[in-house]
Each structure stands twice: as structure tokens, then as C-alpha cells.
Amino acid sequence: MLFNSLQYLVFLPTVFLLYWLLPHRVRVPLLLVASYFFYMSWKPLYGLLILGLTVGNFLLVPLIQGDESRKKLWLGVVIAANLVTLGIFKYASFAMGSVKDGLSLAGIDWREPHLHIILPLGISFFVFEFIHYAFEVYRGKPLVKSFPEFALFASFFPTQIAGPIKRYQDFIPQLSIPAKFKWDYLDEGMQLILLGLSKKVLIADNLSAVVQAGFSHPEHFSAIDMWLITYAFAFQIFFDFAGYTDIARGSAMLFGYKVPINFNLPYIADNVSDFWRRWHISLSTWLRDYLFIPLGGSRGSQWQTCRNLFITMTLGGLWHGAAMHFLAWGAYQGIALILHREYSQLLEKLGIAKNLLASKVYHVVSVIVTFHIVCVGWVLFRAENFNLVWQILSKLAHAPYEILHFSAQQLAVLQIRDPSIFPALVVILPTLMASHVIVNLLNGRRFYQSPPWAVQVGCMVIMMCLLTIFSPDSSPRFIYFQF
Amino acid sequence: MGSQSKLPSFLLALGVFLALALLLRYSCAAPASIATSEPTWTTRAITDFLQRPKAPDLVFLGSSLVLTPINLTDAKVLNRTLDGAFHHESVTTGLLLKERTGKTITTFNFAVPGEMPSDAYLIEKLLLKNDKQPKLVVFGVGPRDFMDNLLDSPTATDPYQWLARLETIPDPAFKKTIASPGYYLAEAILPANIRNAISELVSNSVTGSVSNLLAASNFSVLPNHTKHVLLPQYHSMSIEPGECLFKPVLESEKERFNNNLEEYKRRYGELKWDMFTTQLNFTAKLLDVARSRHTQVLLVAMPVTTINKNLIAPFAWETYKNSLSVLAHEKGAAYLDFDNTTAFSDEDFGDTVHLNTRGAIRMIALLSNEVVNREDLSKALGLPFIKAKVATQTVPL
């Protein structure tokens, strides 16, 4: 079931009403049934997959707490079982294809078997939640005693398909609080849902037309066009995923539950490391806690730290999808993080220009440079094959020459009058960037954190009107659903 | 985003929003305009039809399966290149009927690429009436019209988007169809014609403002065919002058065969029976409306190649063919099954479904013969009934 579907519009209020009408003791079972219904409405058989993993983890993880000498072994078994499941469903076809490509390079023609595996929605997210649970128990945190609560932790419908990746220590305690209904739950939840839908439908879906055209046919666009299109993708993926997260958080809030935020104005990051503290926070912290740190983190030598960073980010890239370009994107992020680390340490060692580094000018330049480094990474992420990656990157590299001989008439985006998103890009992209800066300035203000009641009502009415008028008959799926 | 008020802000916002929607719904007359900066096959046909002073005697309905042979034949007969954006008649049919009966018959071609029976029904219902009512409607259909699983719903076509604007109250038949859920919701709140009008107004203002801001109004505009490559899904039915030309084919020329089998594999991929029955119901509704207005209909099962037919499961093909013949019989329409004749071979096709010039000429000739040789059809057009099946032709076919 998709968040931006009519089914969800019927499903959510029904569960909401039942949840608050029924006594507390049946609320967890109700949410569990609703979550399985939500999941199985797509492919009923895959309900067995999530159930099987839940039962398996619920039974196996307590073994980690047993015999001290076998803790590591059982942790390994649990992680391996989860990763093998993920591997079969997500990476088997990719692995076969890669072997076939490798063999064909060696002149061997091998016809790989066609596996007919359909990637189960959300598997990357709930598998990561199970692994997090196993690790935390290994590190001495308590077990979840109640099976329904554990099952709901993994299957909770607002976060089931594309996160945020929850931490059980934060989520499980909320289930036992016998909360009473408050209108604030409805207001805050619905505001987040409307905001999320607006981000998805009004911004991300509109930008998708530009991105699709540019990333499929870069040959029709100039270098400056391609930069605009790359910026457009940066904002499309942000608003698509941030929109999804808002809907997930809003849906959870309707039941009085808080799930973690996933984004904190990522495009005002002033270095790559800062970007990863602001982008897909629940994934980046997961990678830090359950991959980077177990690999040794930054405790070893310089080389070991760089190696750990590279492995973590490359595997993080592969987590996004079973394709070489995702792997390359992850490796690129790893290299960027290593270079940033080396650069920071060098500046620290040399102890130069401290005043300059602390200046606003340096900060602004850093934000701009970081944004562009991230955007180049998005090319690897979005382009469907390496030919296109090469074509687009070559074009982007040509931009300085075009800027020197700039003429607005060369911009293909201004020659496409309809859909109006093309010419509007030159206004919309700076506005979206400015929105990051403005929200950052407003973030600490009370007016923004808790707007007057009339402003809240007005904003919601405006969002409802815009969504009704501008909603396409069919909206593209959320980008992160595929992962 | 915390709310300290006792009155829930969401419920109030919802109330205000619904009140606004109701106000708009009942205070705004549905805009009947189909004016657009990017005319499509549909808008060009509708505009041309409405501008004609008199009702044509004969109107063709159908998809590109009908449009292509009519235009190819006319290009050949008139011996000049025809622009698909503007050519909306079948000159050849008129000439053949005149030659056979001595009477002048005016025609209008309302066949539009991608037109589904649901669209043909709307054309019949909304446009072919009163002083624009024809005497005979020739409605050509192919299996794609009932089995295209690339189409989300009958409301997802270009003809529907424009024809829906001609109605104040949306046709209830479409509410029962398999539209996307978002459509139902939006439709319940605000009808599509009002939404489209507001959306287009905003879109035009945005484009205008940006153009003014950048002084870009005199910039060159990307050619339509490039835009179709860049944005294949967006306004895919827009058509500019010169974009789709029908050229006369010389005797010495051999037309290239375009193998579009892969496209049809996707179209027929998984037969959606709800789509099939929905479109069959719209065909029935079209025949009902025509009968109630005493407009005679000739339902034509258009020919397709054997390789195309082989993509369809035998039971689906049989169901399609049987349904058409039963429906025509039940609703009092004439029925012509080109698939049942040996008139067409695979050499008569430009791809796996569209006739080439050779096949097109044969089809128009056979169709004209059918009109004059069938008493109900010739009577509908006010033509003398000619029993002879074979006639001499002087029209340069």
C-alpha cells in the first residue's frame, strides 16, 4: 500500500479510529494486524517473509545473551541469517549478472538462470532493524520480552517500507504507555502528513519530469542545463524522501508514537561529513554504529580508519540497490569522506588561517563546495548506466567554458515552455536552496516551532487546496521504495 | 508544530477546505474551452469539427488503426502530402460514394491516435448531436482498444482529458471505471475540468512570468518532436503542423515495415479483463446513444497481422470477436469483420497493426462497397441501394 494512494486514505483513518476507541491492551495487536494487512496488500506471500524473520530473530537473539563464550558466534549466526535473506532477495540477480559479465570478459558465454525474484518492499529497512537489535543485545541491552511488541517494532506500518530505521530502545517503551487521545496528536500528525504529501506531490513529482528528461537524454542539454538538472535531482530526491519521512512520522504521531527524524537541512552542510550527519540520519547512524565501529572505526591507524570509512560507505551505497552505479556512488562518498578527513587534519596540523576557517565567507564557500560535491555524487546515483554517468559528468565539466560564453538563449530548459517546471527551474531551484537557509534561521524561533493556531489552519488549507488542484492522476512511487 | 488550542486545527482546516471546494464546485461553470497552447490530436479534431458549419454525413471514429489508412489513401488519391494535424476527412470515401451513387457525401474523420471506445463514446455523446449529428458513424476497432494494459484507466487518455471539459457534470459511466484512486478523490472534491483550468492558468502564469523575468519570450522553442523524445509521457498527444505528414506513395516505392511487436507484447502482456469489459461496455453505450438518436453505426473489426494476433491468447481473441458481433447484432448496428475476409495479407501492413498505403486503399474501397451494398447503411446516408457487389472504379486508387 502506498502512502499517496486512496487505499491508505481509507486505511489510516480506520486504524486511527479503532486504535483510540479500543482499550490499551488491544492496541498493539491492532497495530500489528494493521501493519501486516498494510504489507500484505501488495504481495500477501511476502507477509510470511517478514513473519519468518521476526520469529527467527525473536528466538535466536536471546541465545546471544547466553553463554559468554558463544556470544560472538550467535551474533554472527543472527547477522548472517538476516544478511543471507537480504542477499537472496535483493542481490542474487545482481550477483548472477556480475558473474556473467565477468565470465564474458574472459570469453566464456554463460547463460545465468533467471531467478524471477521480486524484491520485497522494505526488506532493507526491517533487516537493518533486526541486525541493530542483535547488536544491541550483544552489547548488553535488554531483550524484548513480548513477541507482539517485537513483531510490531519490525512491521510498524508507518516506517515499514522506507524507514526511518528505528531503534528498539526508543520505540518499544512507547508501546507500553497507556496514552490517552489528545487532539495534538491529530493536529501534529496531519500537519506532518500534509507537509510530506506536498513535498512529494508538489515538488518532487514536478521536478521528476526535468530529471527524467535530463538523465535519459543529456545530449539535448547544455552543460549549464545539466547542472540545473543535477540540482533538480538533488532536490527531487530530498523532497521525495523527506516527504515520505514526514508522512511516516505524521502517521506514527496519529497514534502518539515518535519515530526519528531522517533529515536536518542536508544541503547547508559545510562538509561531506556534516552532510552525512544531516542526510538519511537513521541510515548513516546505523552504518556508523553497526558497520563502521565494528570494523574498528577510527581507533586504529590512519590507513585502517580510511579503509573502514571506504568499506562502510561502499556497502552503504550497495544497500541502496543492487547495481554498479550505487556501488560507485557509495565508493565516491567514502573517498569524499576520506579526503575531507585528511584535509581537516592537514589544516589542523598546519594550524594556519584559523580566522579564515572560522569566517562566514569560508562557511558559505564550504556549503557551496559541499553541495556541488554531493551533486556530482547524485549523478552516479541517478544515471542508469556508466555510459550516461560519463556523458553527464563530461558535460558538467564543460560548464566553466559555457559560463565564460554564457547566453540564456542556449539553455534548453528555457526552450521547453510546457511543462512550466522547465523554465521555472531558474526560479525554483534558488528558492528551494533559500528555503534551507531560511528554515535554518527560523529553526530556533518559537514562532516557527509552534506557529499561532490561525497560521497552522491557514497553512493546512493552502496545502489541501494545492494538493487537490495539482495532484497528478498517478504519482510516481517514492524513490526510496526501491531500496 | 505544536498546537495549544482546544479547537483542533486540522478539523477546522478540513472544514474550511471542504467549504471552499463546495463553493468553487457550485459557483464555477465548467469551462467548455479546449483552447491550449499545445494543441493535441484531439483538440485539433474537436476544433475543426465545431468550426464546420454543417454536420458531416459520415463520421469515422477509432484509433490510429482508422486514422492511418484514411490519411494514407487520401494522400495517394489527392497526390499530395497531407498534414495529420489538419486533415480530418476521408476525401476518398466521398469520391467513391459519389462515383457509385452520384450523391455527394461529406465526411469527418474523428479517429485519433490512442482513441479508446470510451473516448469514441464521449465523442458520440457530446459532439455528434443536434445540428452536428451525422447520418452514419463508422467505428473501427482493434484488439488493442480492449486489451491495452499500458493504459491505467479510461480517464487516462488524451481524448478524455479534453472531452471531459465539455461536460458540466462528469459522465457517471466513468465513475464506475478503473481510474486511479487519486482521481476519484480529487474528483469527489473538485471536478477535473475545474482543476485542469486552474492548473493550466497557474502553469501559464508561471511560464509567462519566468519568460518576462529572463526576457526569454523571444527564445527559440524546442521542436515538438524533440520534446516527445525528452518527455515521452508528457503531452504525448500534442501535434504540431508538419510533425506527422502522410505522403503519397509511388507505385515504384516499397513501404518500410516497422516491426512494433515488442510494443504490442507490452500492451497485451497481461490481459486485464476489467479493462476489456469496461471498454466493451463503452462500445455498447456508444451504440445505445447512437440508436437513441437514430444515427446508424457500422462497427468495423479492423484487420491486424497474423503475428500481432498471435500475441493474444486464443480465448481472448475469440471473446473479442464474438463480443463485437453479438454487441452489433443486439444494438442494431451493422457489423463488418475485416478479420474474417481474405482481403488483407501481411503485406498490406506498415507495421503489425497499421495498414500501409496498399492495404489502406483496399480497406477504403471495401468500406465504401459495404456502405452502398448494404440497404441499412445506404438508406441512412440517403443513397440509392445498389445490390451489385462489384463495381467499376475510376477513382485513382
Side-chain angles (χ1 to χ4, degrees), chain A residues 6 184 191 415 418 449 473, chain B residues 1 3 38 180-181 227 234:
Chain A
L6 185 65
D184 276 0
Q191 281 175 35
Q415 293 170 15
D418 185 30
Q449 287 300 331
D473 284 353
Chain B
M1 290 246 222
S3 162
E38 274 200 87
S180 68
K227 220 174 100 177
Y234 186 78

Side-chain angles (χ1 to χ4, degrees), chain A residues 82-154:
Chain A
N82 282 295
L83 290 181
V84 165
T85 312
L86 182 65
I88 289 170
F89 283 97
K90 191 164 176 176
Y91 300 105
S93 300
F94 170 67
M96 295 272 193
S98 303
V99 170
K100 180 188 159 61
D101 291 345
L103 289 174
S104 72
L105 282 177
I108 303 164
D109 184 28
W110 177 61
R111 292 190 71 177
E112 83 275 30
H114 194 63
L115 296 173
H116 298 288
I117 294 173
I118 299 169
L119 180 66
L121 281 176
I123 187 168
S124 309
F125 292 89
F126 54 75
V127 160
F128 269 32
E129 289 183 340
F130 287 131
I131 293 175
H132 132 78
Y133 174 62
F135 255 111
E136 290 303 316
V137 170
Y138 174 80
R139 287 170 181 168
K141 296 269 166 49
L143 287 166
V144 178
K145 295 281 177 354
S146 154
F147 179 74
E149 287 186 358
F150 182 70
L152 184 60
F153 163 63

Side-chain angles (χ1 to χ4, degrees), chain A residues 215 223-235 266-272 275 329 332-333 336 363-381 392-393 396-397 399-400 403 429-430 433:
Chain A
F215 277 79
I224 298 172
D225 281 319
M226 273 323 294
W227 272 110
L228 292 174
I229 289 165
T230 306
Y231 299 152
F233 179 64
F235 285 106
Y267 295 138
I268 55 161
D270 60 4
N271 60 63
V272 185
F275 172 77
W329 174 74
Y332 171 82
Q333 294 296 337
H363 173 73
V364 171
V365 171
S366 301
V367 169
I368 294 169
V369 170
T370 305
F371 178 65
H372 284 80
I373 290 171
V374 169
C375 282
V376 170
W378 288 137
V379 174
L380 291 166
F381 190 94
I392 295 167
L393 290 180
L396 295 181
I403 290 170
L429 292 175
M433 192 67 215

Side-chain angles (χ1 to χ4, degrees), chain A residues 23 43 74 103 108 114 149 233 249 265 338 391 415-416 435 472:
Chain A
K43 277 205 184 298
W74 281 115
L103 289 174
I108 303 164
H114 194 63
E149 287 186 358
F233 179 64
R249 291 179 60 227
L265 305 171
I338 291 166
Q391 222 179 320
Q415 293 170 15
I416 301 173
S435 73

Side-chain angles (χ1 to χ4, degrees), chain A residues 6 183-184 187 190-191 209 213 217 220 408-409 414-415 417-420 423 426 449-450 453 456 460 468 473, chain B residues 1-3 5 7-10 12 17 38 180-181 195 203 207 210 214 216 219-220 222 226-227 229-230 234-235:
Chain A
L6 185 65
W183 284 110
D184 276 0
D187 287 346
M190 286 313 298
Q191 281 175 35
H217 299 282
H220 286 286
Q409 299 202 18
L414 295 180
Q415 293 170 15
R417 301 291 161 80
D418 185 30
S420 52
V426 291
Q449 287 300 331
S450 182
W453 177 79
Q456 289 182 36
M460 279 195 278
T468 308
D473 284 353
Chain B
M1 290 246 222
S3 162
S5 167
L7 188 61
S9 55
F10 171 69
L12 186 70
F17 165 70
E38 274 200 87
S180 68
R195 280 185 287 130
S203 175
T207 314
V210 173
L214 299 166
F219 287 8
S220 59
L222 215 65
T226 311
K227 220 174 100 177
V229 173
L230 295 177
Y234 186 78
H235 287 193

